[in-house]
């Protein structure tokens, strides 16, 4: 299978299902060609994977996030300098890890993510063992590209969504076991976090209430950390990937009154905008964010 460098496929892997986003870059502006949700066993050989570079999501509990502050560096060398800083924090060969560098706004300040290659690749190989990108022996060659779900969530919002009013936005993407959390300030990702929720009974009001308390505690702690780093504005919106009128939305609304909503994907990015009307678009935000370079 020949890869088309201008065709990217975001593959957001869940426990039972996955979400795919096929995005074309020929015109310089991303164009959403298709969004599909399928069961994992139906993924191998799916036509949306044809002739596209696959970028897959990695669970946030497999990712380490670090803050990076660089001295003045020539623009062309920023990425390599940031990666060097991340590598220096490791006790093992850096080739055993994937790195991702995210600008936060202020010059020479970044967030970096570190993911162990073996654990990340295992997710990809388990569902697509015969895919060309599953050959990870050549670590410098065709090793699969991947990105933490929380990072992809923020990238998807910044690249494909209408902006919400306010300076500081919290995005939260719920799966069965984890919530991926991303904070966006002035169109930059400034914070990443996660919350383990598989111990809560989200089918009951009591379980949702307990989860909401934990979520509020996590957000408050992160806001304090952001304040210490110069982000001093209050939270203006909490956007979750489920209907704000759902039980989870109602539970969170008690602790985040008047700021709860959902991300609004701009249908102008679709090759056929009319197809977007029948899709739960926020569910595909992570898959779309995986395609952002």
């Amino acid at each position: 299978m020949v890869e088309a460098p201008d065709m990217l496929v975001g593959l957001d892997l869940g426990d039972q299902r996955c979400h795919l986003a096929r995005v074309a870059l020929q015109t310089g502006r991303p164009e959403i060609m298709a969004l599909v949700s399928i069961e994992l066993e139906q993924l191998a050989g799916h036509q949306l994977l044809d002739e596209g570079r696959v970028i897959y999501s990695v669970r946030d509990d497999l990712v380490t996030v670090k803050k990076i502050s660089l001295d003045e560096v020539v623009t062309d060398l920023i990425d390599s300098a940031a990666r060097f800083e991340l590598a220096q924090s490791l006790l093992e060969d850096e080739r055993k890890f994937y790195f991702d560098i995210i600008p936060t706004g202020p010059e020479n300040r970044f967030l970096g993510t570190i993911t162990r290659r073996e654990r990340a690749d295992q997710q990809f190989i388990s569902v697509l063992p015969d895919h060309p990108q599953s050959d990870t022996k050549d670590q410098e060659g065709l090793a699969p590209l991947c990105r933490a779900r929380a990072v992809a969530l923020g990238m998807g919002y910044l690249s494909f969504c209408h902006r919400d009013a306010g300076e500081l936005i919290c995005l939260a993407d719920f799966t069965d076991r984890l919530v991926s959390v991303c904070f966006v300030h002035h169109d930059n990702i400034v914070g990443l976090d996660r919350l383990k929720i598989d111990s809560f009974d989200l089918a009951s009001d009591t379980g949702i209430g307990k989860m909401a308390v934990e979520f509020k505690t996590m957000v408050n702690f992160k806001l304090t950390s952001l304040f210490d780093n110069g982000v001093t504005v209050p939270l203006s919106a909490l956007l979750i990937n489920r209907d704000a009128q759902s039980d989870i939305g109602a539970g969170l609304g008690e602790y985040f009154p008047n700021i709860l909503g959902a991300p609004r994907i701009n249908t102008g990015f679709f090759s056929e905008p009319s197809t977007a009307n029948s899709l739960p678009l926020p569910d595909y935000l992570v898959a779309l964010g995986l395609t952002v370079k």
Side-chain angles (χ1 to χ4, degrees), residues 216-272:
K216 175 65 172 176
T217 300
M218 179 269 293
V219 169
N220 285 346
F221 180 82
K222 198 66 181 181
L223 290 176
T224 299
S225 175
L226 292 175
F227 185 92
D228 293 339
N229 285 276
V231 180
T232 59
V233 295
L235 190 65
S236 53
L238 169 62
L239 308 181
I240 62 174
N241 73 328
R242 300 192 185 201
D243 186 343
Q245 301 303 315
S246 68
D247 292 338
I248 287 179
L252 291 174
E254 181 178 348
Y255 297 94
F256 299 91
N258 304 318
I259 65 169
L260 190 65
R264 298 169 294 126
I265 293 177
N266 184 348
T267 57
F269 286 104
F270 282 78
S271 57
E272 296 291 339

Side-chain angles (χ1 to χ4, degrees), residues 157-173:
Y157 176 77
L158 292 173
S159 299
F160 292 98
C161 287
H162 295 288
R163 292 295 184 272
D164 288 80
E167 299 180 58
L168 180 61
I169 308 294
C170 178
L171 301 157
D173 184 274

